[in-house]
Amino acid sequence: MLVTCAGVVHPGYVEDLPDAVLERDMAIDYFGTLWCIRAALPSMLERSSGTILCISSFAGLMGVFGMAAYTPPKYAVRGLCETLRTELKPRGIHVASVYPTDVDTPGLAAEIPQHPPSRTRCRARSSRSARGRRRRDPGRHRARRKRIYPGGWNWFLGRLANGAPWVADRIADRAVAKAATRSGRGRPPAGPS
């Protein structure tokens, strides 16, 4: 079994992020995953068995405000897993991807102070919404699923982003518009015309 969990986060507005940061995040988050898979794959193919589990992110399911350097590589990891799943399943290799939201790590602690003000407001709102939600039993992930959404709230959001993206977009757009207006980075609401 191979588990990949390559990831760095550099939050910020897209116009403020240096090109080098965008390139580095893609190199680490996407290519770090790809190169690990390519290193482990020959022995799995030789045995005609194995499991590849890639940690993507909820950001791999839908755009996340203030994460222009982080979200595209996580979408790329998602695309890689979807492609490899179809390519490797007939050869006896199971490929799955995991879509967690924020995970309490030293990396997250270092990331949060760098969030743009609007991102901080959106994150606080989603954290309040997620509190008190029933968590899914981790034992339910034993099945050979291709997409894993840890936590009950995350499972719901993941299904919504995949099955009804227009609804997820509308919810996200409202939260971002409120946060952006309060932080001074958004347009004020249009008046009567």
Side-chain angles (χ1 to χ4, degrees), residues 48-112:
S48 295
S49 71
T51 297
I52 298 170
L53 181 68
C54 300
I55 310 299
S56 178
S57 168
F58 188 78
L61 298 173
M62 66 181 294
V64 176
F65 182 87
M67 295 291 181
Y70 181 72
T71 298
K74 292 303 182 177
Y75 263 90
V77 168
R78 176 187 181 188
L80 176 65
C81 289
E82 295 290 329
T83 300
L84 292 180
R85 185 191 67 76
T86 60
E87 188 176 313
L88 299 175
K89 184 176 182 178
R91 300 167 84 182
I93 299 167
H94 175 66
V95 179
S97 47
V98 182
Y99 300 99
T101 52
D102 291 341
V103 177
D104 190 8
T105 64
L108 179 64
E111 165 199 334
I112 290 172

Side-chain angles (χ1 to χ4, degrees), residues 44-191:
M44 290 183 182
L45 288 170
E46 188 177 302
R47 290 188 316 273
S48 295
S49 71
T51 297
I52 298 170
L53 181 68
C54 300
I55 310 299
S56 178
S57 168
F58 188 78
L61 298 173
M62 66 181 294
V64 176
F65 182 87
M67 295 291 181
Y70 181 72
T71 298
K74 292 303 182 177
Y75 263 90
V77 168
R78 176 187 181 188
L80 176 65
C81 289
E82 295 290 329
T83 300
L84 292 180
R85 185 191 67 76
T86 60
E87 188 176 313
L88 299 175
K89 184 176 182 178
R91 300 167 84 182
I93 299 167
H94 175 66
V95 179
S97 47
V98 182
Y99 300 99
T101 52
D102 291 341
V103 177
D104 190 8
T105 64
L108 179 64
E111 165 199 334
I112 290 172
Q114 300 174 50
H115 283 178
S118 302
R119 167 76 179 130
T120 302
R121 285 183 179 86
C122 289
R123 184 177 181 280
R125 182 177 176 176
S126 67
S127 294
R128 283 193 307 271
S129 298
R131 270 189 222 126
R133 305 276 189 216
R134 185 179 65 83
R135 299 278 184 216
R136 291 176 63 90
D137 175 10
R140 295 184 71 180
H141 296 310
R142 290 188 194 131
R144 293 176 66 84
R145 296 182 178 175
K146 60 183 179 180
R147 294 179 196 97
I148 301 168
Y149 309 98
W153 180 241
N154 197 26
W155 177 86
F156 172 75
L157 291 174
R159 293 296 179 133
L160 190 62
N162 278 321
W166 59 92
V167 176
D169 289 345
R170 188 168 182 166
I171 292 167
D173 289 349
R174 282 185 176 172
V176 168
K178 276 186 184 176
T181 300
R182 287 184 184 143
S183 70
R185 278 280 192 150
R187 291 185 300 197

Side-chain angles (χ1 to χ4, degrees), residues 6-75:
V8 293
V9 180
H10 293 97
Y13 296 107
V14 68
E15 69 271 16
D16 297 337
L17 294 167
D19 294 347
V21 165
L22 298 168
E23 290 174 5
R24 182 173 182 262
D25 282 19
M26 184 62 80
I28 292 171
D29 294 6
Y30 173 70
F31 285 106
T33 298
L34 177 62
W35 301 148
C36 288
I37 291 170
R38 287 179 52 104
L41 193 55
S43 65
M44 290 183 182
L45 288 170
E46 188 177 302
R47 290 188 316 273
S48 295
S49 71
T51 297
I52 298 170
L53 181 68
C54 300
I55 310 299
S56 178
S57 168
F58 188 78
L61 298 173
M62 66 181 294
V64 176
F65 182 87
M67 295 291 181
Y70 181 72
T71 298
K74 292 303 182 177
Y75 263 90

